Amino acid sequence: MVGDVPVGGTHPIVLQSMATTKTQNTEATVAQSIRMIKSGAQIVRITAPTEVDAKNLKNIRAALTAQGYKTPIVADIHFRPEAAMEAANWVEKVRVNPGNFTDSKAFKIREYTDAQYNEELERIEERFAPLVLKLKKLGRAIRVGTNHGSLSDRIMNRYGDSPEGMVESALEFVRICRKNNFHDIILSMKASNPKVMIAAYRLLAAQMTLEGMDYPFHLGVTEAGDGEDGRIKSAIGIGSLLEDGIGDTIRVSLTEDPEFELPACQMIAAPYQNRKDGSVNVSVPAGWTGAHTDNFYHYSRRPSRTVNVGPFSIGGETTVRTVIHGGLNPTAENMVLEGQLRDSKDFPLEFVEWNLESQKTLLDLRASYETLKKQGNSPAYLARVRPSSPLTLEALKEEGVHAVCLAFPEAQSLNGNTASELEACQRVAREAKTQGKPLFLEAHDAQTLLTVAKSVASITWNIVLSLDGQDASSLIRQYRFLAADPFIKESAFPIHLKAPKNDSYAEHRIQASILFGSLLCDGIGDSVQAGVGRDLKQDLTLVYNLLQGAGVRISKTEYVSCPSCGRTLFDRQGCRRSLN
């Protein structure tokens, strides 16, 4: 319990944010806290860098209560145990950073003997135990919040700046809490790199299980930035862990006024709020055989063969490729409308998916290909069509078609008609082999896709696999099942990730981030497609930003941007507003 707010167990995921005002400015801090609460914050965090700041938490708490707000407050403590002891008198939870609560960063290189290391732990306990006992007496909670960027010299010298070091840094403090029979503990493993964050939380969950612990987790990608980049990076890190069933309270750290963090929190948490059975839905398809990798705690890309598609390649050691949809009503004119795709130097156009629904759409594809080619922008075109369509074989002979995507849009597409559908696929596969072009195979579920892939692989191995669905969570499980299947592991076909459609761009961006982030940070995915053809330039920008957020393809400068709080002594948000 944090005040009267339950965190963990079967309770919904709790949303929170943090004030950016100076803590000694009571009026400004109270006003900003109320804006956060009205935007959906169930817990408010306020920095207390000094004892003077900590004492003023009394006035902030009193002012909020007087205005009818009982929302719990968390005091954020760095460097000063004395500030933590004072803050405990006035707030419902205290957050400490084990990297600097008792240690000052000296960047010393030192080899610790076991005896010397134990001496350091005794020193930590001497400084930390009084706070633990006070919190226990007052009925307060604590968050032991490890930060990847502020590990102690002791941890750095023994473990390096690794997920293992982050976990041990937190557990050193947790063991002191347990020694004093104090269990109102929440843990966090924050990093600005989602891959590091995901690995650290997974490792922490595993280590806690080994040590008989079950404390709740606070999730967040620290210093995520602002705008689309900050929301994408946060959704990748937080959403990927919620997909694993890990996470009880979340904060999206944006370099914006804190009330703007809450809508993103709400969108990320929404699919995972039904936890009546004690966990989110982390079931997998029937026949699950395990992950594509034996190591969940360190990134490694799934091995795959290289498939050449026109001027580009997918899989192998090739960078993760980008695909956009040619438009809901594709025409040559739409593809170059207002120069949307012309001169795309920052985000180069690589693959275009084009729906073939009639002879006219095939003619439009040809015209679009020729138009872009004249402009010196020659993407690879994927003609998406049903296997039995009369356009399929014709498309394979088109110069502008570099691959055909055989799409099975319904999960029951093979039921009752398996033989004829597979025969159609095999006819297309034979023609594709003759033309020297690869096939993208797309189905609504992994089992159907496996059946089709096994049938076509008897003719050609020049194949890329893809799933098309309406639910990001289901797609994540289906893609993981596919990557772990023994036949797919052995054949090493590249995997194309495709985001489901959503009428709201804001929600689409969050769900695509969770889908791609979960898979790419696990090393699954050789190409990605986030757009549905509403705005081609927006689609192209989004897909590159998603790859950047997942850390698998860097296409622009990476900003690590603190959301700012009272201890930074710099008003980043105010500076940004004045510049705008």
Side-chain angles (χ1 to χ4, degrees):
M1 300 298 295
V2 180
D4 60 359
V5 175
V7 179
T10 60
H11 298 285
I13 297 162
V14 176
L15 312 182
Q16 56 180 286
S17 187
M18 184 175 182
T20 61
T21 53
K22 301 292 184 288
T23 306
Q24 294 179 45
N25 187 336
T26 303
E27 183 179 354
T29 303
V30 169
Q32 192 176 71
S33 297
I34 291 172
R35 292 200 300 273
M36 285 188 269
I37 294 166
K38 288 183 175 180
S39 296
Q42 298 160 282
I43 294 175
V44 168
R45 182 153 52 111
I46 301 171
T47 188
T50 68
E51 293 93 313
V52 175
D53 294 300
K55 286 179 180 178
N56 199 50
L57 291 170
K58 175 182 179 181
N59 298 323
I60 293 169
R61 173 76 278 171
L64 284 169
T65 302
Q67 296 188 53
Y69 296 98
K70 298 181 180 180
T71 304
I73 294 175
V74 181
D76 195 65
I77 305 295
H78 295 262
F79 304 108
R80 301 286 298 171
E82 296 80 8
M85 292 291 284
E86 175 63 29
N89 295 315
W90 317 115
V91 299
E92 288 77 14
K93 185 171 78 172
V94 173
R95 181 267 171 130
V96 299
N97 182 343
N100 58 34
F101 185 77
T102 62
D103 296 285
S104 58
K105 192 75 173 176
F107 299 97
K108 292 180 179 178
I109 299 175
R110 173 185 173 186
E111 294 296 329
Y112 289 84
T113 66
D114 288 344
Q116 290 170 329
Y117 201 93
N118 288 332
E119 287 176 7
E120 288 288 296
L121 295 180
E122 290 172 4
R123 179 179 62 82
I124 291 171
E125 183 172 359
E126 183 180 342
R127 293 278 277 162
F128 182 55
L131 175 62
V132 171
L133 293 173
K134 185 168 188 176
L135 295 172
K136 181 179 177 182
K137 179 181 178 181
L138 295 175
R140 314 299 199 208
I142 192 170
R143 171 157 70 96
V144 179
T146 300
N147 193 307
H148 183 228
S150 58
L151 296 174
S152 67
D153 287 340
R154 178 187 67 263
I155 290 291
M156 287 286 288
N157 282 297
R158 178 159 287 197
Y159 297 94
D161 61 342
S162 63
E164 289 81 358
M166 295 173 67
V167 169
E168 186 59 25
S169 179
L171 292 183
E172 288 177 352
F173 278 61
V174 172
R175 294 178 190 120
I176 296 171
C177 293
R178 290 168 66 85
K179 184 177 179 180
N180 290 279
N181 197 29
F182 177 67
H183 301 284
D184 292 328
I185 306 166
I186 296 173
L187 294 159
S188 65
M189 297 274 113
K190 290 196 173 183
S192 60
N193 183 331
K195 284 191 286 194
V196 173
M197 172 219 175
I198 292 167
Y201 276 105
R202 286 177 174 174
L203 189 61
L204 177 63
Q207 188 61 36
M208 283 173 58
T209 299
L210 292 176
E211 298 191 28
M213 304 177 187
D214 60 355
Y215 304 115
F217 285 176
H218 168 120
L219 304 184
V221 178
T222 192
E223 300 171 326
D226 64 359
E228 179 158 285
D229 291 337
R231 286 160 176 80
I232 286 173
K233 191 181 284 189
S234 295
I236 288 171
I238 296 170
S240 297
L241 289 162
L242 292 176
E243 274 294 329
D244 289 345
I246 293 173
D248 305 281
T249 178
I250 67 173
R251 186 248 173 138
V252 171
S253 299
L254 300 177
T255 309
E256 300 176 20
D257 289 328
E259 60 265 32
F260 298 122
E261 297 178 348
L262 278 309
C265 277
Q266 291 162 344
M267 282 187 279
I268 293 170
Y272 313 100
Q273 288 291 24
N274 184 12
R275 292 154 38 113
K276 293 179 181 178
D277 61 350
S279 67
V280 297
N281 179 12
V282 291
S283 62
V284 296
W288 173 259
T289 56
H292 83 93
T293 176
D294 296 325
N295 192 337
F296 291 97
Y297 314 120
H298 293 279
Y299 172 80
S300 62
R301 185 172 172 182
R302 168 185 170 268
S304 65
R305 64 177 65 239
T306 301
V307 173
N308 295 317
V309 187
F312 299 99
S313 58
I314 291 178
E317 299 298 321
T318 306
T319 188
V320 178
R321 294 299 187 185
T322 60
V323 181
I324 65 165
H325 194 285
L328 297 178
N329 297 297
T331 64
E333 290 76 18
N334 286 349
M335 285 296 294
V336 292
L337 183 63
E338 297 177 0
Q340 285 188 86
L341 300 179
R342 202 178 305 161
D343 302 323
S344 295
K345 296 176 182 178
D346 293 334
F347 301 123
L349 185 61
E350 295 180 336
F351 290 82
V352 176
E353 179 189 76
W354 199 282
N355 284 351
L356 292 189
E357 299 172 351
S358 65
Q359 189 68 35
K360 180 181 182 304
T361 56
L362 182 57
L363 294 175
D364 282 333
L365 184 154
R366 180 189 302 164
S368 174
Y369 167 74
E370 291 174 352
T371 299
L372 289 176
K373 186 176 181 181
K374 289 177 182 177
Q375 297 173 353
N377 194 349
S378 300
Y381 276 71
L382 312 177
R384 186 173 182 270
V385 64
R386 288 296 297 264
S388 55
S389 169
L391 292 172
T392 307
L393 297 178
E394 187 177 347
L396 279 169
K397 298 175 183 178
E398 275 286 336
E399 178 191 0
V401 173
H402 302 93
V404 164
C405 176
L406 300 182
F408 296 82
E410 299 174 2
Q412 297 80 22
S413 56
L414 291 180
N415 291 355
N417 201 24
T418 303
S420 61
E421 289 290 345
L422 292 183
E423 285 175 5
C425 286
Q426 289 173 339
R427 283 196 301 272
V428 175
R430 283 190 284 270
E431 181 62 28
K433 186 175 183 179
T434 299
Q435 298 294 333
K437 296 180 180 180
L439 292 177
F440 280 60
L441 304 178
E442 177 189 296
H444 210 65
D445 67 283
Q447 292 286 9
T448 298
L449 188 56
L450 273 172
T451 300
V452 176
K454 289 176 180 179
S455 172
V456 173
S458 62
I459 299 169
T460 177
W461 288 77
N462 213 12
I463 295 170
V464 179
L465 304 180
S466 179
L467 290 164
D468 183 31
Q470 299 301 316
D471 176 69
S473 291
S474 175
L475 277 171
I476 290 168
R477 295 191 292 274
Q478 295 284 340
Y479 272 117
R480 285 177 173 166
F481 168 78
L482 191 68
D485 180 81
F487 171 74
I488 300 302
K489 273 189 170 182
E490 182 180 357
S491 56
F493 296 132
I495 291 178
H496 171 56
L497 307 181
K498 193 172 184 179
K501 301 176 179 66
N502 193 308
D503 291 335
S504 164
Y505 178 74
E507 293 180 3
H508 173 68
R509 177 174 60 195
I510 293 294
Q511 292 305 305
S513 299
I514 295 173
L515 170 63
F516 293 157
S518 296
L519 297 167
L520 291 170
C521 289
D522 279 349
I524 299 172
D526 301 287
S527 58
V528 294
Q529 179 179 347
V532 292
R534 288 172 299 198
D535 183 321
L536 301 181
K537 190 171 184 179
Q538 184 183 65
D539 291 347
L540 192 64
T541 301
L542 175 60
V543 76
Y544 275 98
N545 286 343
L546 288 164
L547 292 178
Q548 175 111 3
V552 297
R553 182 170 178 178
I554 307 303
S555 55
K556 61 183 181 180
T557 302
E558 179 83 7
Y559 290 100
V560 178
S561 176
C562 177
S564 184
C565 66
R567 69 186 174 89
T568 65
L569 304 180
F570 186 82
D571 183 7
R572 285 172 170 80
Q573 286 80 1
C575 179
R576 180 185 174 190
R577 282 192 294 270
S578 65
L579 288 172
N580 290 339

